[in-house]
Amino acid sequence: MTSQQHLRTFLEPFLSTSTANALLTTAQAKQLHCQLLRRHGHLPVPAVLLSWKLLIRSYTSHDLFSVSLSCFVQMRRFVEHFNHFVFPSVVKSCAWWMDVGLGECVHGCVVKVGLEGDLYVGNALLSMYSKFGVLCGGGARQSNNASVGMDAELGLRRHVAHVVREKSGAISPSAEEGGRSDESNASLGLNSYEVGRSGKERKIVRSIGTSWFMKRERGNVVGNSVRKIFDVMPARDLVSWNTVIAGNVQSGMYDEALVMVRKMGLENIRPDAFTLSSMLPMCAEYADVVKAKEVHGYAVRHGIHDNVVIGSSLIDVYAKCTRIQDFFSVFNGLPRRDGITWNSMIAACVQNGLSNEGFEFFRCMVKDNLKPGPLSFSSIIPACSHLTSLIFGKQLHGYIVRTGLRDNVFIASSLVDMYAKCGKIEIAKSIFSNMKQHDLVSWTAIIMGCALHGQALDALKLFNEMEVSGVRPSYVSFIAILTACSHSGLVEEARKYYDRMIQEFGITPGVEHYAAMADLLGRAGRLEEAYDFICKMPAEPPGSLWSALLNACRIHKNVELAEKVSDRILAVDPENIGAYIIMSNIYSGARQYKEAATMRVSLRKRGFTKKPACSWIEVRNKLYSFFSGDKSHQSYEKISKALKVLYAQMEKIGYKPDTNEVFQDIEEEQKKELLLNHSERLAIGFGIISTPPGTTIRVIKNIRICMDCHTAIKYMCSIVAREIVIRDNSRFHHFKNGACSCGDYW
């Protein structure tokens, strides 16, 4: 029997064809693996080489990466020479595990067998190192001599044994020695097939993350490797260029990526859809609509603008550049739309405040027979937060439960955020507690939720639990914890977290951190300290940062400092309407009516108009809006009558309107009339007459609730025996049994 006949006979039970491109099912691979380990000494080399190649490719294609790597280790014991068809699958497995040491060992094996110049192997190595995350710096281990190749052999066996045995229990310790040639060893190696099938590998990789990888400077590990692999490749195709360009973009090295695109053109290689879709995130990062238009124009000129990948990328970049008409035009011009395109459009609408349109696109996607996935829900759920619409949020939550996606960490995190921002912090906590695993996003969402609801102690406890669980706090996590401290007056605790953020975690404070600290110091009455803190900011503080301090000056009636702060605001933001309004109110509160009038005149001269106070309430799945002093609502007479009865009861138990909150120079009775018709009171009155007794009343207000309304609502909730939840422009107030969750500190 010839070698070819022997090969065909051996593979016949496992394959309908013995071609090099065949793939095995997992069951066939398991059988073939056992046969190989039993009979490797009695088979011709071509049969052994093709069989191992099929095994490795098949395991990798079925996402059984640990088994693929263990097969490669075993193959190295039995096969001395092999071709380039084996390595791409092995390298892909290394990339999935995100272990640089493992990847370097395989790279060493490539060098040892002399395949470092092969186009396909080179592209696989480029992709692997790019996926390791950073393409900068130097210091990657050089694999260009025989000693490195020898080290790679031993290192590979040890790395595979460690990763697979210790992390998944999928291979025996003998793998470190190259594997035994008996059936027991085969079964040990093949048991990892069960790990992959059960999905545990994906949990394992999160647990090991990049443990070895993160202990070194990632840029120093992989940067030179990518560049040197690319530079020494004797031939480079479109895949090679695209891999390096995409890697540079993902690493934030946009200038380098643009240089590579230009070099690509000089070598007469035309960018394709993948190249353009890699370049567009650069435009989005810098909100560079000019470059985005250039890429868009190139796509149109070369007839690839209707590609769904390019279309989705263009929608993303135009959304981040707030070019609403442009991303609508791109979407409408696509002849075919896939799930990614719909998700991009939904996210674009929500990001640009078009929440209702986002819901409509979500409905259209479902009608188009596209099943929403985790990204779809993660994109649309924030729209419920923007609209503070519980009815839409609950409908989506029910849909998620029915589709079996409630355990998805991204969706669950979005639900936590949505319920917290819609005033249902207890439901948010329940969802968080029932999550099987927590990532940084879910931790940050629940901490910020507690912060917005004035539950600072819970926020501090959760932050500590997050650290204990091994999740490293991020830039946004510290915004959340500082906000929690700010809303509860925890000055010293905030200082500790602020110092830890800089010294322990190496995070440079941003405008949001400065704003939270300034707001905290201002609320606590430490106005001069807050002023000095802002002045120490390395860059020029923006007007929004000074505005927090200006509002604190209003609360604490510090006219002198308020004038200094307003000057700083108008110096950097001359059109800041809030500064004029707050200063006018500060002067009126200090009975400096001439100065207050001057501020109002300045507003009118510049053509500025004050944003009217507005409140919203949802009743029977419909949203109603109320403006202060507005009598146009169809139920105004009933609302007014109900409020008058309520005010009479309130006055009997001690309520007295605080007319100091009215800054106009008018009669006392007129001031009282204005107070009694503030927008949130009209919304509450409508809620009382429109809902059954005992129903919680939820109101959203576009500006900060005034002190008199805050006092009045405490009386209201006690008299009507209801919980009243008010969300103003900075936090939630839960009024119940005559008290507010903020403890009168807001």
Side-chain angles (χ1 to χ4, degrees):
M1 183 182 294
T2 66
S3 297
Q4 185 64 29
Q5 290 172 327
H6 199 156
L7 171 62
R8 188 178 297 276
T9 302
F10 175 69
L11 292 176
E12 194 65 35
F14 309 107
L15 302 171
S16 58
T17 174
S18 57
T19 63
N21 294 322
L23 280 178
L24 305 172
T25 66
T26 51
Q28 289 173 325
K30 189 173 182 179
Q31 295 173 23
L32 178 57
H33 198 168
C34 290
Q35 290 293 330
L36 268 176
L37 293 174
R38 279 198 187 115
R39 302 174 57 189
H40 69 89
H42 307 287
L43 296 172
V45 172
V48 174
L49 179 58
L50 178 58
S51 299
W52 282 112
K53 189 207 79 169
L54 288 172
L55 275 177
I56 292 169
R57 285 186 66 244
S58 299
Y59 282 137
T60 302
S61 69
H62 292 296
D63 293 344
L64 302 176
F65 302 109
S66 59
V67 196
S68 175
L69 290 170
S70 65
C71 280
F72 182 67
V73 170
Q74 292 169 339
M75 183 193 74
R76 295 294 291 132
R77 179 179 177 86
F78 305 135
V79 180
E80 184 175 353
H81 302 288
F82 45 89
N83 57 31
H84 64 267
F85 291 110
V86 173
F87 277 108
S89 296
V90 177
V91 171
K92 180 180 177 181
S93 296
C94 295
W96 189 89
W97 280 102
M98 289 297 288
D99 191 316
V100 176
L102 191 60
E104 287 181 327
C105 291
V106 172
H107 189 177
C109 292
V110 170
V111 173
K112 184 179 179 182
V113 299
L115 290 174
E116 65 271 27
D118 183 84
L119 177 63
Y120 300 106
V121 175
N123 285 342
L125 288 170
L126 285 175
S127 177
M128 177 187 73
Y129 281 116
S130 297
K131 288 176 182 176
F132 286 157
V134 178
L135 299 181
C136 56
R141 184 168 61 190
Q142 302 305 304
S143 300
N144 56 2
N145 56 55
S147 63
V148 170
M150 293 172 64
D151 290 341
E153 288 295 319
L154 180 58
L156 175 65
R157 290 196 292 268
R158 288 178 175 171
H159 261 88
V160 172
H162 171 73
V163 170
V164 181
R165 183 184 70 239
E166 297 297 331
K167 303 303 179 184
S168 67
I171 193 169
S172 72
S174 60
E176 187 170 332
E177 302 166 4
R180 297 198 308 264
S181 59
D182 55 22
E183 186 174 353
S184 63
N185 191 29
S187 65
L188 285 166
L190 288 168
N191 283 340
S192 57
Y193 140 78
E194 298 296 340
V195 174
R197 295 296 290 178
S198 65
K200 291 180 182 176
E201 281 191 345
R202 298 193 179 278
K203 296 179 182 177
I204 293 160
V205 81
R206 290 192 188 100
S207 68
I208 63 171
T210 52
S211 55
W212 183 91
F213 180 46
M214 292 296 291
K215 290 176 184 176
R216 301 171 61 179
E217 295 181 11
R218 294 186 297 177
N220 291 340
V221 175
V222 303
N224 276 356
S225 296
V226 173
R227 284 192 293 273
K228 289 183 179 179
I229 291 168
F230 184 80
D231 291 341
V232 302
M233 289 175 69
R236 296 185 289 248
D237 61 3
L238 181 61
V239 175
S240 313
W241 287 95
N242 281 344
T243 301
V244 176
I245 291 168
N248 279 314
V249 172
Q250 291 164 8
S251 303
M253 299 174 64
Y254 303 127
D255 292 338
E256 290 82 350
L258 287 172
V259 169
M260 295 299 289
V261 172
R262 294 189 186 101
K263 288 182 178 179
M264 181 180 181
L266 293 174
E267 295 201 10
N268 295 320
I269 297 180
R270 178 182 291 182
D272 66 352
F274 185 88
T275 317
L276 300 187
S277 63
S278 297
M279 293 171 63
L280 286 169
M282 293 187 287
C283 308
E285 181 69 21
Y286 292 116
D288 191 338
V289 73
V290 175
K291 279 192 173 62
K293 290 280 188 181
E294 289 177 6
V295 175
H296 193 176
Y298 180 93
V300 171
R301 289 193 300 274
H302 291 84
I304 54 176
H305 60 287
D306 56 358
N307 179 283
V308 290
V309 177
I310 293 179
S312 299
S313 298
L314 283 169
I315 291 170
D316 289 337
V317 69
Y318 284 139
K320 289 176 181 174
C321 294
T322 66
R323 304 282 293 207
I324 295 173
Q325 190 60 46
D326 286 329
F327 68 70
F328 268 92
S329 176
V330 171
F331 181 82
N332 292 331
L334 290 173
R336 183 176 64 87
R337 297 156 185 162
D338 60 4
I340 297 175
T341 312
W342 283 103
N343 290 339
S344 296
M345 196 61 188
I346 293 167
C349 290
V350 176
Q351 290 167 14
N352 284 275
L354 305 174
S355 297
N356 287 321
E357 289 81 354
F359 277 116
E360 188 58 36
F361 278 111
F362 183 85
R363 294 188 186 100
C364 290
M365 180 179 70
V366 175
K367 289 179 182 177
D368 208 27
N369 295 319
L370 284 171
K371 185 178 180 181
L375 186 58
S376 310
F377 288 112
S378 297
S379 298
I380 191 60
I381 288 173
C384 303
S385 304
H386 296 165
L387 294 173
T388 60
S389 177
L390 270 175
I391 183 63
F392 287 134
K394 287 180 177 178
Q395 288 175 356
L396 285 173
H397 193 178
Y399 195 152
I400 289 164
V401 172
R402 291 193 298 275
T403 54
L405 290 172
R406 62 180 172 183
D407 290 332
N408 181 280
V409 66
F410 305 110
I411 293 177
S413 299
S414 297
L415 287 172
V416 168
D417 182 67
M418 183 269 290
Y419 277 113
K421 289 179 178 175
C422 288
K424 290 282 193 177
I425 186 62
E426 296 307 320
I427 296 180
K429 286 181 175 180
S430 175
I431 293 172
F432 179 82
S433 298
N434 291 326
M435 290 175 67
K436 294 180 179 178
Q437 58 181 346
H438 301 121
D439 62 358
L440 177 61
V441 175
S442 57
W443 281 109
T444 302
I446 193 62
I447 292 169
M448 181 59 88
C450 290
L452 294 176
H453 287 267
Q455 300 179 6
L457 296 181
D458 286 349
L460 296 179
K461 180 182 176 184
L462 286 162
F463 193 92
N464 181 61
E465 290 177 1
M466 176 180 71
E467 291 190 89
V468 171
S469 71
V471 176
R472 184 181 177 86
S474 68
Y475 182 99
V476 180
S477 304
F478 279 103
I479 294 174
I481 197 63
L482 291 175
T483 301
C485 294
S486 175
H487 286 173
S488 298
L490 304 178
V491 177
E492 297 309 316
E493 287 81 354
R495 288 188 187 279
K496 291 177 183 176
Y497 283 112
Y498 184 83
D499 291 340
R500 285 189 64 204
M501 177 183 71
I502 300 170
Q503 298 166 10
E504 185 177 338
F505 295 95
I507 297 173
T508 302
V511 173
E512 300 91 342
H513 304 109
Y514 276 96
M517 288 298 295
D519 185 56
L520 169 69
L521 294 170
R523 289 174 192 267
R526 302 184 183 186
L527 302 179
E528 293 293 343
E529 190 177 346
Y531 184 88
D532 293 339
F533 179 82
I534 296 174
C535 288
K536 291 177 182 177
M537 186 175 177
E540 178 68 34
S544 59
L545 183 52
W546 288 112
S547 295
L549 180 55
L550 184 61
N551 193 55
C553 292
R554 183 188 69 81
I555 295 171
H556 295 285
K557 298 179 173 56
N558 190 324
V559 179
E560 183 180 352
L561 183 59
E563 290 175 335
K564 289 171 60 178
V565 172
S566 66
D567 289 342
R568 299 294 294 261
I569 294 174
L570 297 176
V572 296
D573 186 7
E575 298 187 357
N576 191 307
I577 299 174
Y580 289 100
I581 294 171
I582 295 175
M583 279 307 302
S584 174
N585 292 341
I586 289 173
Y587 284 134
S588 296
R591 298 186 181 279
Q592 298 180 21
Y593 296 117
K594 183 178 179 180
E595 289 80 0
T598 301
M599 299 304 296
R600 289 195 292 272
V601 169
S602 297
L603 268 177
R604 287 194 293 270
K605 282 183 177 179
R606 288 168 172 79
F608 298 157
T609 55
K610 180 182 176 181
K611 180 173 63 175
C614 182
S615 295
W616 296 266
I617 183 171
E618 187 175 341
V619 175
R620 288 187 289 275
N621 303 334
K622 186 177 179 181
L623 202 64
Y624 297 86
S625 60
F626 295 86
F627 293 92
S628 290
D630 182 17
K631 300 180 181 181
S632 63
H633 193 276
Q634 60 183 7
S635 301
Y636 176 77
E637 292 301 326
K638 293 180 181 179
I639 295 170
S640 179
K641 183 178 179 180
L643 287 177
K644 285 179 180 178
V645 173
L646 190 56
Y647 289 146
Q649 293 177 295
M650 289 163 57
E651 288 176 353
K652 287 180 182 179
I653 58 176
Y655 169 67
K656 292 181 180 179
D658 181 5
T659 55
N660 290 324
E661 287 293 303
V662 180
F663 300 110
Q664 290 94 323
D665 186 14
I666 56 178
E667 295 297 327
E668 194 70 13
E669 286 304 314
Q670 290 177 295
K671 290 184 177 182
K672 288 182 181 179
E673 183 68 19
L674 287 175
L675 282 175
L676 300 182
N677 282 282
H678 274 190
S679 63
E680 61 267 52
R681 302 195 195 196
L682 297 175
I684 291 170
F686 181 69
I688 291 172
I689 66 174
S690 304
T691 58
T695 304
T696 297
I697 295 173
R698 302 179 186 280
V699 175
I700 308 111
K701 187 173 182 178
N702 65 337
I703 62 174
R704 183 180 183 272
I705 185 173
C706 76
M707 292 183 181
D708 185 68
C709 285
H710 192 271
T711 301
I713 297 171
K714 288 194 288 185
Y715 283 98
M716 289 179 180
C717 72
S718 179
I719 292 171
V720 300
R722 298 194 192 204
E723 181 180 3
I724 300 175
V725 180
I726 305 289
R727 173 185 168 180
D728 66 11
N729 63 348
S730 64
R731 65 173 296 160
F732 282 89
H733 298 264
H734 293 258
F735 297 91
K736 191 174 183 179
N737 299 326
C740 180
S741 60
C742 73
D744 298 336
Y745 188 93
W746 84 101

